[in-house]
Amino acid sequence: MRRLARVALLCLGCAVCSLLYGLSQLALSLEQEPGGGGGRERQAREPATPGAWRQAGSAGRGAAGSGRYDYMKTHPSEKMHLAVVACGERLEETVTMLRSAIIFSIKPLHFHIFAEDQLHESFKDILEEFPYEGKVNYTIYPITFPSESAAEWKKLFKPCASQRLFLPLILKNVDSLLYVDTDILFLRPVDDIWSFLGKFNSTQIAAMAPEHEEPRIGWYNRFARHPYYGVTGINSGVMLMNMTRIRRKYFKNDMTPVRLQWGEILMPLLKKYKLNITWGDQDLLNIMFFHNPESLYVFPCQWNYRPDHCIYGSNCKAAEEEGIFILHGNRGVYHDDKQPTFRAVYEAIKNYSFGDDLVHSLLQPLERELQKTTHTYCGRVYKVFIKQLTKSVRDLYARRSKGR
């Protein structure tokens, strides 16, 4: 009898386990099928559909769920990921940057927009009006920092600027990402800077351009009170990242003989250097790559062209030869009269209407405005501002002709 009771109890246990397993599989299948989850998550899991916007809505911390990127994992060459952080009065500037990315790019783009809550609806309204040609979708995220130190990170340098440091930890299922500041303008396809990912060697995890080309006007080599990369430091306004490598890497540092991962090193760096850093998160990146120089790929200056490259005389030789590829209007030069050459390019792209002829509606009006700026140092080399843009327009029309 005891043996029979044991057998019966064992059978009952197996039956219960089988029932629980069946229920778990049913729940999982319902969650994966359309209609099985909440509307926001279901929409995010669908692959991009040609001819339609795909918008995942406001996403909270951990918004980059594994389902959202299944399509991207199976079609890795078909989508480029671009991230931007927008706070305060940066809505128009950010939208203009996104417009410049859309105009010339070839492969589909996924925009990851990190913005203060009050900007979310405005971004959605504007982006929904963009023509898309089946190549653009986007996700809008709130600004999020580690809860135990959120206030300290948010006030570092400019509001929300240090959000970029946490992108590898938030977008856990994105393999590679191009981060740009809001004051960036693309004058050639995003595809071209994205292609640098294929040029990384086995140790490189990110790419940035030098802060200066000319050490005599360099900021870091003259004033920095902390370690920095190379001769003149690096500028983080354009940062291409292999985020899988970033998440896996153990970084050398000057705080402990033990190497630390990305999520472990940020707060100790801030605590050690917060009284010595001027440019916030960019300074922390300089410190990090000072100790790990083998991990950085360095762009030529034409991929991050700033006023410092021309206001004291032209010092970006690559731009003189081939033109500017990415324009970076830092220090607010798009919105004042200090650097009219930069402002002219910004206004031209902001006012361009999608679908209009690029030669008559963008290039020709821009060149007329640039010719009015020759009284300034940057205006004297105004042709570098339009050289690559002209080629990008020509290449775009050539692609369209071949596609007919």
Side-chain angles (χ1 to χ4, degrees):
M1 290 296 292
R2 289 181 181 177
R3 183 175 299 174
L4 290 174
R6 288 174 183 172
V7 170
L9 185 61
L10 180 61
C11 291
L12 180 61
C14 291
V16 171
C17 291
S18 298
L19 178 62
L20 290 174
Y21 177 79
L23 290 174
S24 67
Q25 291 298 104
L26 177 61
L28 181 61
S29 65
L30 289 173
E31 187 178 352
Q32 291 176 338
E33 292 175 1
R40 178 182 302 165
E41 188 62 26
R42 179 175 69 252
Q43 192 176 36
R45 287 178 177 175
E46 294 174 350
T49 304
W53 279 93
R54 185 68 58 201
Q55 191 270 111
S58 298
R61 186 178 302 173
S66 59
R68 177 172 299 136
Y69 300 100
D70 287 347
Y71 178 79
M72 302 167 199
K73 288 178 181 177
T74 56
H75 300 75
S77 64
E78 294 186 11
K79 193 176 293 286
M80 302 175 293
H81 294 264
L82 188 150
V84 64
V85 179
C87 290
E89 304 297 321
R90 298 289 182 142
L91 175 66
E92 178 196 272
E93 194 172 83
T94 305
V95 169
T96 303
M97 180 275 293
L98 298 175
R99 290 167 58 84
S100 74
I102 292 171
I103 291 172
F104 298 113
S105 294
I106 302 167
K107 292 194 292 290
L109 288 159
H110 189 112
F111 296 138
H112 300 270
I113 302 169
F114 290 79
E116 292 176 308
D117 292 346
Q118 65 268 25
L119 297 178
H120 286 202
E121 289 303 318
S122 296
F123 270 117
K124 291 177 188 177
D125 292 343
I126 294 170
L127 290 169
E128 290 295 340
E129 295 299 317
F130 275 15
Y132 41 80
E133 299 180 358
K135 70 176 186 180
V136 177
N137 58 3
Y138 67 92
T139 310
I140 300 176
Y141 305 80
I143 301 296
T144 53
F145 296 107
S147 57
E148 66 277 7
S149 55
E152 197 163 6
W153 284 112
K154 188 166 185 178
K155 67 183 181 182
L156 183 66
F157 189 43
K158 294 180 181 178
C160 309
S162 57
Q163 178 74 81
R164 84 183 82 182
L165 295 176
F166 299 94
L167 297 182
L169 307 178
I170 297 172
L171 303 177
K172 294 181 180 179
N173 293 284
V174 176
D175 175 70
S176 296
L177 182 77
L178 175 62
Y179 165 85
V180 296
D181 286 347
T182 60
D183 50 10
I184 290 296
L185 293 172
F186 293 94
L187 305 186
R188 67 182 294 172
V190 175
D191 308 62
D192 295 332
I193 190 169
W194 190 259
S195 69
F196 278 103
L197 288 164
K199 298 180 181 181
F200 285 11
N201 65 27
S202 60
T203 66
Q204 289 164 338
I205 64 174
M208 286 178 274
E211 174 69 11
H212 290 280
E213 295 299 302
E214 175 50 67
R216 287 177 296 177
I217 61 172
W219 192 91
Y220 283 107
N221 56 289
R222 292 189 296 158
F223 306 117
R225 296 177 293 161
H226 58 78
Y228 56 88
Y229 178 89
V231 177
T232 61
I234 46 175
N235 184 280
S236 60
V238 178
M239 184 176 180
L240 183 64
M241 296 179 275
N242 183 320
M243 300 212 296
T244 299
R245 290 186 179 184
I246 288 175
R247 287 185 287 262
R248 290 175 179 170
K249 183 173 176 62
Y250 287 83
F251 293 85
K252 300 187 292 288
N253 61 87
D254 59 359
M255 300 170 292
T256 169
V258 178
R259 297 191 181 197
L260 301 174
Q261 288 190 289
W262 190 268
E264 302 169 325
I265 200 171
L266 296 175
M267 195 62 206
L269 273 181
L270 178 61
K271 286 182 177 179
K272 178 170 183 176
Y273 287 105
K274 65 181 178 180
L275 298 180
N276 294 325
I277 58 177
T278 302
W279 308 113
D281 52 298
Q282 178 173 288
D283 291 347
L284 296 182
L285 290 168
N286 265 281
I287 297 167
M288 198 176 298
F289 285 106
F290 169 84
H291 292 291
N292 300 270
E294 75 287 348
S295 298
L296 188 68
Y297 183 101
V298 180
F299 289 135
C301 51
Q302 68 210 85
W303 293 98
N304 188 345
Y305 191 95
R306 301 178 303 283
D308 285 341
H309 290 119
C310 58
I311 58 175
Y312 305 112
S314 181
N315 60 58
C316 179
K317 299 302 180 184
E320 292 175 16
E321 294 171 3
E322 300 181 276
I324 298 167
F325 297 166
I326 294 179
L327 192 69
H328 186 176
N330 60 340
R331 304 195 191 112
V333 295
Y334 293 150
H335 312 293
D336 59 32
D337 297 322
K338 294 179 181 179
Q339 299 300 330
T341 317
F342 282 77
R343 183 167 184 170
V345 180
Y346 176 80
E347 292 291 332
I349 293 175
K350 184 186 77 171
N351 296 327
Y352 170 74
S353 297
F354 286 114
D356 285 355
D357 180 80
L358 283 160
V359 175
H360 296 96
S361 299
L362 178 63
L363 282 180
Q364 291 179 351
L366 173 57
E367 186 159 17
R368 288 194 293 270
E369 290 301 313
L370 290 174
Q371 289 172 352
K372 299 175 183 178
T373 70
T374 54
H375 61 285
T376 67
Y377 279 115
C378 293
R380 292 177 187 176
V381 293
Y382 78 86
K383 290 186 178 179
V384 305
F385 287 78
I386 204 165
K387 190 172 187 177
Q388 175 58 46
L389 192 59
T390 302
K391 183 179 184 299
S392 295
V393 171
R394 184 172 63 246
D395 291 348
L396 175 61
Y397 283 136
R399 290 196 303 271
R400 288 179 180 176
S401 296
K402 288 181 180 179
R404 289 174 184 168

